[in-house]
Amino acid sequence: MYREILTDLINWKNKDRRKPLLLSGVRQCGKTYIIEKFAQDNFKNYVYINFEKSERIAEIFDFDLDVKRIITEIGRQYKTDIIPGKTLLFFDEIQECPKAITSLKYFCEDLRELHVVCAGSLLGVALRQQNISFPVGKVNRLQLYPMNFKEFVIANDRSDLIETLKNWTTDREIPKLYSEPLTKLLKEYYIVGGMPDVVKAWIKNHDYEEVEEIQNEILSDYADDFAKNAPISEFPKIRWVWDSVPVQLAKENNKFVFSHVKEGKRAADLEDALQWLNDAGLIKKTELVVTPELPLSGFTDKTYFKVYFSDIGLLRAKSKVSPETIINETELYRRYKVAFTENYVLTELISRGKEPYFWRSGNTAEVDFLYEQKGNIIPVEVKAADNNQAKSYKQYCKKYTPAKGIKLSQKNIGENLCESTPTFSIPLYLAWNIDAY
């Protein structure tokens, strides 16, 4: 399936000052598949080492970190020549071999002409928990996320919709010829999400029961990761926090509150569990910006944040909201519809390279997301329906006069002008093209 990160991988391959590449991403988001696809299309051969499955290979790194000796011994084990410029060397689940992580420094310094890629599902957790000598400044880094909506549309054989709308005139409404299939696909994306195995099953059979079965298997695998990789003392706390995220996100004031996770528990009891989930890539925190000035990271209240899932489909499955509920959009689904829509926009912004925050003025006004773009702060108002009344957004614009802004809702395209801020109103299904506005 098409993944946008392939372009980034090719750019990395052709860099003059290329370093070993560290590819991070939540478990089962497609890291191994995409590197193998990249290798097959761009190299004469590649060597794949999974340190989780091939534990004995780690012994090659025990003697010393002479990278020429290392690749000679690896080549002998796999009965192939490892040739700089022609071979891709792929270390998978590298967190299982700390010395292999350390060796990246020497691959960078002594054998930079060899293309080396590393991946790890729980690398963030491992680096925090283990005493690993990380090669700071000696690696390039990329992050792979679950499939975004654009990739989902292309996987559903509707790349024509993407091609048609990517250069669409910004003041022209979108006719039903395009809006209706995109609206349908967006509902399906809320149900299926972007985990590649789930998307693959959906494309093949269009069976919601099969989709939910695979999603529940992934959620069970994540729970097994908690038990296997988390400190024993943190395991139950991680489960409590994980179970609490969908419920708290659906609250009207969806600030994450530690005391709502488990009765009698406070932030000091649960902060490490929340950080574990964040390091594992399973959740994403967005912090409150008190004063929207550049850089946004310098004006946050780190004690006041929201928590989202990394994948909208897994959030839907974890919340036990049926596919029929999303398709029919019943009124009883109103609160979770808002939560799902916010989570969808959050993951779309992240997949576009944004670092989202949010703004709130007491309990009276809130702008869902803020991000930096070429020296500007872009406010993004998110509406789950076609109601485009946005009092909080207008209050923000009046107070801070941003240069431009975005409203995402079910309404068709249009340009609405606040008193001081040019604001594009675009459909939710165009969040992937937000930079065009």
Side-chain angles (χ1 to χ4, degrees):
M1 292 183 287
Y2 168 77
R3 302 301 304 270
E4 291 183 294
I5 201 172
L6 275 170
T7 300
D8 298 320
L9 290 169
I10 292 170
N11 289 339
W12 167 80
K13 173 182 182 291
N14 296 326
K15 271 186 178 180
D16 289 335
R17 292 186 53 78
R18 180 189 62 252
K19 303 174 185 177
L21 178 65
L22 192 59
L23 181 67
S24 303
V26 67
R27 189 180 293 278
Q28 299 187 47
C29 71
K31 296 184 297 299
T32 303
Y33 164 82
I34 205 65
I35 295 302
E36 290 184 341
K37 170 69 173 170
F38 169 62
Q40 290 165 1
D41 291 348
N42 292 278
F43 293 88
K44 181 178 179 181
N45 69 320
Y46 79 102
V47 177
Y48 173 68
I49 299 172
N50 186 318
F51 286 110
E52 197 171 57
K53 295 179 179 179
S54 306
E55 297 179 5
R56 297 297 298 271
I57 293 295
E59 295 175 3
I60 291 176
F61 295 81
D62 286 341
F63 179 66
D64 61 26
L65 296 179
D66 180 342
V67 291
K68 292 184 179 179
R69 177 194 62 79
I70 288 171
I71 66 166
T72 297
E73 292 193 27
I74 290 174
R76 288 170 182 161
Q77 288 294 316
Y78 287 85
K79 296 179 172 58
T80 188
D81 292 327
I82 298 176
I83 304 170
K86 296 183 178 180
T87 303
L88 178 70
L89 180 59
F90 179 20
F91 297 144
D92 203 359
E93 301 299 350
I94 194 172
Q95 73 276 359
E96 299 296 329
C97 182
K99 288 188 177 181
I101 295 176
T102 305
S103 76
L104 299 180
K105 173 183 177 181
Y106 302 101
F107 276 105
C108 177
E109 294 177 348
D110 302 334
L111 200 59
R112 189 174 292 202
E113 62 272 25
L114 178 66
H115 293 79
V116 180
V117 176
C118 314
S121 300
L122 292 172
L123 189 57
V125 171
L127 292 175
R128 181 176 289 269
Q129 291 181 350
Q130 300 178 29
N131 184 23
I132 296 176
S133 177
F134 187 79
V136 177
K138 302 297 182 180
V139 296
N140 298 131
R141 303 192 73 153
L142 284 176
Q143 181 82 21
L144 181 64
Y145 301 101
M147 296 174 72
N148 59 34
F149 182 59
K150 176 182 176 181
E151 293 169 334
F152 181 79
V153 172
I154 293 172
N156 279 271
D157 200 26
R158 291 308 310 264
S159 59
D160 60 298
L161 294 170
I162 302 297
E163 290 300 315
T164 299
L165 293 177
K166 71 179 182 181
N167 295 316
W168 192 261
T169 304
T170 56
D171 60 355
R172 177 187 170 191
E173 284 197 354
I174 299 172
K176 290 182 179 180
L177 175 66
Y178 308 126
S179 66
E180 288 185 350
L182 280 166
T183 299
K184 179 176 181 290
L185 282 164
L186 185 59
K187 286 185 178 182
E188 292 172 353
Y189 184 65
Y190 279 25
I191 296 166
V192 176
M195 301 303 283
D197 283 350
V198 184
V199 176
K200 183 179 179 181
W202 169 250
I203 291 168
K204 184 177 181 181
N205 298 318
H206 283 76
D207 183 342
Y208 287 127
E209 288 188 4
E210 184 180 11
V211 162
E212 293 200 306
E213 181 181 343
I214 299 171
Q215 287 170 331
N216 288 328
E217 288 173 358
I218 293 172
L219 290 170
S220 294
D221 289 345
Y222 287 171
D224 290 343
D225 280 341
F226 304 162
K228 178 182 175 183
N229 297 289
I232 294 175
S233 61
E234 293 300 312
F235 168 59
K237 299 175 187 178
I238 292 171
R239 289 295 300 268
W240 297 338
V241 172
W242 177 241
D243 292 343
S244 177
V245 170
V247 178
Q248 297 213 36
L249 190 56
K251 293 187 305 182
E252 189 167 349
N253 179 352
N254 52 8
K255 169 193 175 185
F256 191 84
V257 181
F258 283 105
S259 61
H260 293 176
V261 173
K262 189 77 172 177
E263 187 176 354
K265 296 297 180 182
R266 300 180 180 180
D269 302 315
L270 300 170
E271 284 174 334
D272 287 346
L274 184 71
Q275 186 62 50
W276 194 98
L277 289 167
N278 190 72
D279 291 340
L282 297 176
I283 62 169
K284 173 63 179 177
K285 292 167 57 180
T286 61
E287 296 172 344
L288 172 69
V289 168
V290 180
T291 305
E293 296 181 19
L294 295 174
L296 286 173
S297 58
F299 295 90
T300 61
D301 179 353
K302 296 188 179 300
T303 68
Y304 201 113
F305 54 87
K306 303 179 188 181
V307 179
Y308 298 89
F309 264 36
S310 63
D311 178 68
I312 180 66
L314 294 183
L315 174 64
R316 197 272 315 165
K318 183 72 173 170
S319 304
K320 300 189 185 304
V321 173
S322 71
E324 292 76 18
T325 298
I326 292 176
I327 293 167
N328 297 326
E329 294 193 88
T330 64
E331 177 61 24
L332 296 174
Y333 160 60
R334 179 177 58 85
R335 194 69 61 80
Y336 268 87
K337 182 181 179 181
V338 172
F340 291 173
T341 303
E342 275 195 34
N343 205 119
Y344 156 72
V345 173
L346 180 279
T347 54
E348 288 295 297
L349 290 174
I350 290 174
S351 76
R352 305 260 72 82
K354 319 299 184 191
E355 180 64 30
Y357 300 85
F358 70 98
W359 172 84
R360 181 173 286 169
S361 176
N363 292 319
T364 61
E366 178 180 314
V367 173
D368 298 295
F369 299 108
L370 304 175
Y371 65 87
E372 297 179 26
Q373 181 82 13
K374 296 181 179 179
N376 291 311
I377 296 174
I378 310 297
V380 179
E381 180 73 7
V382 177
K383 295 293 183 183
D386 59 6
N387 172 17
N388 234 10
Q389 297 300 314
K391 294 179 181 179
S392 296
Y393 177 82
K394 291 177 181 177
Q395 181 177 325
Y396 174 91
C397 292
K398 183 177 180 180
K399 186 172 183 179
Y400 297 109
T401 60
K404 61 192 73 176
I406 299 288
K407 290 181 185 177
L408 288 161
S409 72
Q410 290 187 359
K411 289 191 73 172
N412 207 313
I413 204 166
E415 185 176 6
N416 299 333
L417 293 178
C418 292
E419 292 181 4
S420 58
T421 304
T423 302
F424 283 101
S425 175
I426 62 177
L428 286 160
Y429 56 71
L430 276 185
W432 59 271
N433 204 26
I434 196 168
D435 285 340
Y437 298 87

